[in-house]
């Protein structure tokens, strides 16, 4: 029978590059004469920018620390034991780099069992145990604390979560079993399922206490001191911790049913993790912890060996690593400083851009438009949004006053842009209009100023073609809503120089956007992929497939919204315009739907009405539709749509629109909200055999976003 130590030793051999967390034990005398106490501090030796994680060697260190405490507890040398983290970080869970290296089910099972065996020993100590959540706590970091008898949390904790379902795992070191038994199934489903599927939403310290996960909450400044005072009072019997009785009846079943409804709404059965977690929560109703731990081990091993998890980790790494070091960006030392920003236009998009530049750069921002009323409306929008931030307590009055003073609006571009370093246009999507705007700006802006365009589909090269200095024109394509979607497609025109491009990337970084370098090709990345995707859905409707069949066909992808709901969000007129642009560029692959044209000409906002609260085909739109008599099944529609997407991505890579398939996935995740379990889209196309069927090869090398052979 192999021991926990053997298990972890074998696992550590598979993961030689682990950033190892130490578990330092120190002893202190508690206040009020409560007795001698052992405190474990988790620390990997780096500052908070490299958070503490649990790989096999780290778990082994914690196991060794518990050996010591167990002996002291058995000998009556201590009255209790606690666990806390280094400054700003408690622990952020399993080390995902180690998970990526696992190639068989047995090793994956060992990781689950190893974590359980170590953490369970905390619950089995002969003295009461305490977890002090002093900083960020996620996944296994949260779970190690759940094995303790008591928990305190700092109000300063910025991020606390069980994010496993978001990545394609389950909380597999006790989370699915212990949390519902601590706070009830309903609250546990919110933390494990709802928050994870809601873009990995984090809890703050106060919320952790309100949910009942922690028994006490203290301010960050003297958190550990207050926690130890509280511990002493608990051990002396001066404070009695009361917890609510858990409803193990119908309420438990209803909570699990709610979780399934949430999962269906987000992933439509396309990713297994949420459903596996819910099965374990459902079974935890009887309070049998060991049965729950065994189920967690099995689920963890199965999911670690699944394509969805590997795609999830791949997506996570794209966002966290590649997104922060854009492929092909020039030397950042070439970037010029930006001390004033000009915005041409004062409509909604321009106003959103002005607000973003203002908040992130905190430099003067000036808007211009064709009449004073529009300028006033744009500046008024920015002021209104600053007031909202003030009202929510996100900024103080002094900051609000300062930001408002920095934003102005003028009619005269010469007055507004004479000393601007960066001017961005957000005017009507028509090449002649854009060329005229840039000619006017070039005449008045300084020679070094970057001229940026927020075009979604037009040629940046053509836009710059009539200027004296086309080398300073760069595409700077944001996604709507600007405040929410992180992607920024940075487009290099044929004559854009390195200094202008470097400045654009430096500004993107200050704006906290994920910048991807793209070639000046029609509709760049996201709009080209989405237009081909939506165009194929539209084609099958035009040919005769009912709208609801075409929409349901792509549900198994688990996309954030259906194609026609997305069309409504974008606006049918914009969708039509982009499809016309792409049809001119690639008439053999991009069609212009006569039905979409009819919907736009009729002034409809979309295909649906929401009278019942659910989307239903608008009878007026139904009357406009002219369909053929070719009716496809959901499977046939899905195959056609995926084949079209795989073909288009293959062609984009051949054309060098981006450096690699990874950049297309990064764009779809951050610009269109495509799910992590698809890895963007190329891992899914590879996994489903579409890539090879259409292009004769995979997009990614085996082992990238898939289980290594």
């Amino acid at each position: 029978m192999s021991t926990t130590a053997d298990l972890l030793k074998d696992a550590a051999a598979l993961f030689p590059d682990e950033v190892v967390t130490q578990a330092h034990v120190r002893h202190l005398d508690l206040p009020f004469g409560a007795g001698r106490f052992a405190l474990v501090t988790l620390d990997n030796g780096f500052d908070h920018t490299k958070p503490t994680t649990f790989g096999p060697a780290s778990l082994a260190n914690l196991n060794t620390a518990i050996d010591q405490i167990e002996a002291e507890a058995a000998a009556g040398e201590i009255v209790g034991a606690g666990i806390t983290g280094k400054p700003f970080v408690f622990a952020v869970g399993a080390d995902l780099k180690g998970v990526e290296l696992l190639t068989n089910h047995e090793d994956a099972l060992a990781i689950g069992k190893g974590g359980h065996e170590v953490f369970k020993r905390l619950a089995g100590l002969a003295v009461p145990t305490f977890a002090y959540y002093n900083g960020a706590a996620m996944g296994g970091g949260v779970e190690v604390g759940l094995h303790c008898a008591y928990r305190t949390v700092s109000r300063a904790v910025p991020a606390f979560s069980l994010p496993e379902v978001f990545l394609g795992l389950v909380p597999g070191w006790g989370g699915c079993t212990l949390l519902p038994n601590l706070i009830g199934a309903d609250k546990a489903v919110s933390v494990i399922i709802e928050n994870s599927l809601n873009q990995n939403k984090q809890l703050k310290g106060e919320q952790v206490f309100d949910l009942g996960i922690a028994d006490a909450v203290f301010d960050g400044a003297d958190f550990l001191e207050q926690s130890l005072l509280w511990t002493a009072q608990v051990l002396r019997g001066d404070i009695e911790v009361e917890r609510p009785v858990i409803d193990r009846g119908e309420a438990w079943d209803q909570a699990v049913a709610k979780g399934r409804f949430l999962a269906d709404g987000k992933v439509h059965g396309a990713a297994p993790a949420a459903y596996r977690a819910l099965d374990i929560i459902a079974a935890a109703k009887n309070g049998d912890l060991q049965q729950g731990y065994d189920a967690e081990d099995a689920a963890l091993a199965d999911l670690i060996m699944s394509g969805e998890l590997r795609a999830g980790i791949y997506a996570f790494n794209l966002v966290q690593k590649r997104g922060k070091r854009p492929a092909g960006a020039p030397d950042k030392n070439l970037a010029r400083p930006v001390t004033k920003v000009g915005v041409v236009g004062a409509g909604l998009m321009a106003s959103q851009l002005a607000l973003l530049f203002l908040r992130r750069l905190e430099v003067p921002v000036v808007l211009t438009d064709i009449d004073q009323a529009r300028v006033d409306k744009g500046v008024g929008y920015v002021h209104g949004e600053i007031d909202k931030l003030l009202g929510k307590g996100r900024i103080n009055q002094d900051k609000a006053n300062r930001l408002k003073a920095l934003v102005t609006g003028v009619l005269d571009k010469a007055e507004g842009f004479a000393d601007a370093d960066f001017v961005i246009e957000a005017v009507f999507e028509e090449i002649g209009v854009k060329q005229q705007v840039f000619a006017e700006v070039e005449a008045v802006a300084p020679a070094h100023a970057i001229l940026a365009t927020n075009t979604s589909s037009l040629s940046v090269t053509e836009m710059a073609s009539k200027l004296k200095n086309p080398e300073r024109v760069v595409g700077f394509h944001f996604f709507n809503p600007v405040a929410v979607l992180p992607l920024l497609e940075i487009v290099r025109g044929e004559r854009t120089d390195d200094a202008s491009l470097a400045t654009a990337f430096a500004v993107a970084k200050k704006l906290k956007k994920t910048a991807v370098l793209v070639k000046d090709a029609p509709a760049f990345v996201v709009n080209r992929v989405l237009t081909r995707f939506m165009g194929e859905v539209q084609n099958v409707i035009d040919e005769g497939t009912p709208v609801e069949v075409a929409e349901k066909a792509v549900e198994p992808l688990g996309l954030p919204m259906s194609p026609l709901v997305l069309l409504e969000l974008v606006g049918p007129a914009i969708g039509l315009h982009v499809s016309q642009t792409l049809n001119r560029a690639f008439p053999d692959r991009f069609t212009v739907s006569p039905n979409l044209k009819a919907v736009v000409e009729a002034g409809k906002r979309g295909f649906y009405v929401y009278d019942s609260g659910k989307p239903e085909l608008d009878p007026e739109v139904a009357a406009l539709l002219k369909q053929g008599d070719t009716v496809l099944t959901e499977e046939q529609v899905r195959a056609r749509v995926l084949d079209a997407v795989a073909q288009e991505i293959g062609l984009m890579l051949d054309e060098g629109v981006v450096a690699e398939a990874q950049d297309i996935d990064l764009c779809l995740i951050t610009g269109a909200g495509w799910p992590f379990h698809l890895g963007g889209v190329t891992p899914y196309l590879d996994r489903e055999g579409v890539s090879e069927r259409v292009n004769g090869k995979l997009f990614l090398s085996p082992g990238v976003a898939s289980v290594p052979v």
Side-chain angles (χ1 to χ4, degrees):
M1 179 77 181
S2 63
T3 64
T4 303
D6 294 335
L7 206 65
L8 293 170
K9 196 172 167 190
D10 293 343
L14 297 171
F15 185 18
D17 299 327
E18 177 184 349
V19 177
V20 179
T21 297
Q22 304 298 330
H24 305 289
V25 182
R26 62 188 169 113
H27 295 87
L28 37 101
D29 293 316
L30 288 171
F32 314 124
R36 190 166 163 75
F37 190 78
L39 180 66
V40 177
T41 303
L42 302 169
D43 191 345
N44 61 4
F46 293 92
D47 69 10
H48 66 279
T49 58
K50 199 165 213 159
T52 308
T53 51
F54 292 121
S58 306
L59 287 171
N61 286 339
L62 180 57
N63 200 45
T64 304
I66 296 171
D67 285 341
Q68 180 188 337
I69 293 167
E70 195 172 55
E72 292 169 353
E77 293 169 12
I78 54 172
V79 293
I83 186 166
T84 192
K86 67 183 184 182
F88 310 111
V89 178
F90 181 78
V92 297
D95 191 322
L96 291 174
K97 290 197 293 298
V99 173
E100 285 179 271
L101 299 171
L102 297 171
T103 58
N104 67 61
H105 199 271
E106 205 177 315
D107 290 337
L109 197 60
I111 287 290
K113 284 193 187 305
H116 270 133
E117 293 308 319
V118 176
F119 291 1
K120 263 170 27 190
R121 294 184 66 200
L122 283 170
L125 288 174
V127 292
T129 49
F130 297 77
Y132 307 128
Y133 293 122
N134 64 303
M138 294 169 206
V142 169
E143 290 170 304
V144 71
L146 293 177
H147 284 78
C148 296
Y150 304 97
R151 285 157 294 283
T152 66
V153 68
S154 164
R155 278 196 181 87
V157 166
F160 183 104
S161 64
L162 289 169
E164 287 83 353
V165 167
F166 174 69
L167 290 170
L169 279 172
V170 298
W173 286 339
C176 290
T177 304
L178 292 171
L179 193 63
N181 279 295
L182 175 68
I183 63 173
D186 190 58
K187 289 177 181 172
V189 164
S190 287
V191 174
I192 294 169
I193 306 296
E194 189 171 10
N195 288 358
S196 275
L197 293 178
N198 198 1
Q199 291 299 315
N200 193 18
K201 185 180 169 203
Q202 301 293 321
L203 298 167
K204 301 269 194 285
E206 197 79 50
Q207 294 169 299
V208 175
F209 171 68
D210 291 342
L211 282 165
I213 299 172
D215 303 303
V217 60
F218 301 112
D219 286 336
D222 55 353
F223 169 70
L224 192 57
E225 199 180 329
Q226 292 299 325
S227 292
L228 292 168
L229 278 169
W230 181 85
T231 299
Q233 291 169 294
V234 170
L235 290 171
R236 281 166 46 101
D238 301 339
I239 288 177
E240 202 174 321
V241 173
E242 289 181 8
R243 298 198 180 115
V245 176
I246 301 300
D247 186 334
R248 297 183 184 279
E250 202 181 317
W252 195 290
D253 302 332
Q254 284 173 345
V256 173
K258 179 186 94 171
R260 293 194 195 284
F261 177 75
L262 288 166
D264 286 343
K266 288 284 186 183
V267 298
H268 309 285
Y275 303 97
R276 289 297 290 266
L278 287 162
D279 289 343
I280 301 167
I281 294 170
K285 182 178 173 180
N286 64 11
D288 182 338
L289 299 185
Q290 190 53 51
Q291 174 198 320
Y293 299 157
D294 292 342
E296 287 176 352
D297 286 341
L300 208 57
D302 291 348
L303 291 167
I304 284 173
M305 300 314 293
S306 74
E308 285 86 359
L309 171 71
R310 301 308 169 116
I313 295 176
Y314 162 83
F316 182 78
N317 288 335
L318 286 182
V319 173
Q320 295 299 321
K321 294 175 184 163
R322 193 178 184 96
K324 291 179 171 55
R325 288 190 287 279
D331 181 350
K332 60 177 186 286
N333 294 321
L334 295 171
R336 295 190 285 261
V338 172
T339 59
K340 183 178 179 182
V341 173
V343 182
V344 185
L348 183 59
M349 189 67 178
S351 304
Q352 287 183 63
L353 295 181
L355 179 69
L356 179 69
F357 279 95
L358 183 67
R359 284 194 66 202
R360 296 281 183 242
L361 271 56
E362 294 192 21
V363 299
V365 175
V366 60
L367 295 110
T368 68
D369 212 316
I370 53 174
D371 60 54
Q372 194 63 45
R374 290 180 204 219
V375 170
D376 293 346
K377 191 178 177 187
V379 174
Y381 169 87
V382 177
H383 282 193
E385 292 300 306
I386 293 167
D387 286 336
K388 283 183 197 168
L389 293 169
L390 178 64
K392 288 177 187 162
R394 303 266 296 278
I395 55 174
N396 60 25
Q397 187 67 57
D398 180 49
K399 179 100 179 250
N401 292 345
R402 203 165 69 247
L403 289 176
K404 282 183 180 179
L406 284 171
V407 63
T408 54
V410 295
L411 284 175
D412 181 7
K413 291 187 182 70
E415 181 190 339
F417 301 155
D419 54 350
D421 306 300
F422 191 101
V423 180
I424 184 164
E425 68 73 26
V427 299
F428 185 65
E429 192 74 345
E430 212 287 307
I431 194 77
V433 176
K434 305 255 192 201
Q435 285 176 332
Q436 184 191 337
V437 161
F438 272 159
E440 290 169 5
V441 174
E442 188 181 48
V444 296
H448 69 270
I450 303 299
L451 308 185
T453 169
N454 182 44
T455 183
S456 58
S457 60
L458 300 174
S459 166
V460 174
T461 302
E462 193 181 342
M463 222 175 283
S465 62
K466 298 183 176 170
L467 298 180
K468 292 189 213 53
N469 301 107
E471 68 279 355
R472 56 180 174 152
V473 177
V474 65
F476 216 62
H477 179 217
F478 290 88
F479 288 79
N480 220 346
V482 172
V484 178
L485 291 173
L487 180 64
L488 184 53
E489 290 177 338
I490 296 188
V491 188
R492 178 172 210 152
E494 280 172 23
R495 296 177 66 181
T496 308
D497 64 19
D498 282 354
S500 301
L501 204 59
T503 307
F505 274 99
V507 169
K509 191 171 185 180
K510 284 190 177 161
L511 295 175
K512 298 189 177 170
K513 292 294 179 187
T514 300
V516 176
L517 178 63
V518 304
K519 189 176 157 185
D520 187 17
F524 317 126
V525 176
V526 173
N527 284 341
R528 181 158 162 190
V529 174
L530 286 186
T531 304
R532 187 78 201 272
F533 172 84
M534 310 253 288
E536 211 51 53
V537 172
Q538 192 75 59
N539 287 344
V540 300
I541 293 171
D542 292 353
E543 289 162 19
T545 299
V547 169
E548 59 275 15
V549 175
E551 285 269 84
K552 267 185 81 75
V554 294
E555 264 186 12
L557 297 178
L559 298 175
M561 60 188 78
S562 75
L564 293 182
V565 173
L566 175 62
L567 181 69
E568 198 167 300
L569 181 75
V570 170
I574 292 173
L576 178 66
H577 178 79
V578 177
S579 69
Q580 287 167 332
T581 302
L582 281 160
N583 171 254
R584 283 194 295 276
F586 310 114
D588 55 325
R589 301 193 309 280
F590 287 87
T591 52
V592 178
S593 162
N595 281 319
L596 178 57
K597 212 168 170 191
V599 167
V600 172
E601 282 167 1
K604 303 301 290 182
R605 280 189 49 243
F607 277 64
Y608 293 128
V609 285
Y610 296 85
D611 300 339
S612 64
K614 290 205 303 275
E616 287 172 10
L617 189 60
D618 182 341
E620 291 178 19
V621 170
L624 291 171
L625 294 183
K626 290 187 170 55
Q627 292 181 280
D629 48 17
T630 306
V631 179
L632 302 183
T633 64
E634 286 177 28
E635 290 72 23
Q636 289 170 321
V637 173
R638 189 160 56 250
R640 250 183 74 172
V641 170
L642 292 176
D643 284 5
V645 169
Q647 183 195 29
E648 203 57 42
I649 291 172
L651 291 165
M652 289 164 73
L653 292 171
D654 290 346
E655 291 166 28
V657 174
V658 287
E660 291 180 290
Q662 280 88 333
D663 292 313
I664 287 180
D665 291 324
L666 181 58
C667 284
L668 287 170
I669 293 161
T670 56
W674 279 37
F676 269 41
H677 68 260
L678 296 183
V681 72
T682 68
Y684 176 80
L685 295 171
D686 285 355
R687 197 164 75 225
E688 295 293 312
V690 182
S691 313
E692 287 195 272
R693 183 171 76 234
V694 175
N695 300 323
K697 61 182 180 184
L698 298 172
F699 285 115
L700 302 168
S701 307
V704 177
S706 56
V707 179
V709 180

